């Protein structure tokens, strides 16, 4: 490891919306797509969880 390794630009581990994609390889683009699809699934799961919690609360207070 060189003393100058810290000077090299680091590739982000996560995708940043609107970032320049021109320097990424096909494999890197596919990895980002997979990352974003996993994040969408996580967000949808959280939405469903919150919606069911809200519905339960609404049913409790309607009684």
């Amino acid at each position: 490891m060189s003393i100058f390794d810290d000077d090299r630009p680091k590739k982000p581990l996560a995708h940043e919306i609107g970032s320049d994609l021109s320097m990424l390889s096909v494999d890197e683009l596919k990895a980002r797509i997979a990352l974003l699809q996993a994040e969408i699934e996580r967000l949808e799961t959280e939405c469903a969880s919150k919606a069911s919690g809200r519905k339960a609360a609404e049913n409790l207070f309607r009684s």
Side-chain angles (χ1 to χ4, degrees), residues 23-58:
M23 299 301 288
L24 298 175
S25 69
V26 172
D27 288 338
E28 289 171 319
L29 289 169
K30 287 180 179 182
R32 288 193 183 200
I33 290 169
L35 176 75
L36 291 169
Q37 287 172 333
E39 183 64 8
I40 289 168
E41 288 178 22
R42 188 177 77 91
L43 291 166
E44 288 174 339
T45 300
E46 187 64 21
C47 281
S49 173
K50 288 184 182 269
S52 68
R54 182 177 181 160
K55 183 133 181 116
E58 286 174 354

Side-chain angles (χ1 to χ4, degrees), residues 2-30:
S2 167
I3 189 169
F4 300 108
D5 285 343
D6 292 336
D7 295 339
R8 292 184 193 164
K10 305 250 189 299
K11 288 187 180 181
L13 297 177
H15 179 74
E16 183 178 326
I17 304 289
S19 63
D20 181 22
L21 304 175
S22 64
M23 299 301 288
L24 298 175
S25 69
V26 172
D27 288 338
E28 289 171 319
L29 289 169
K30 287 180 179 182

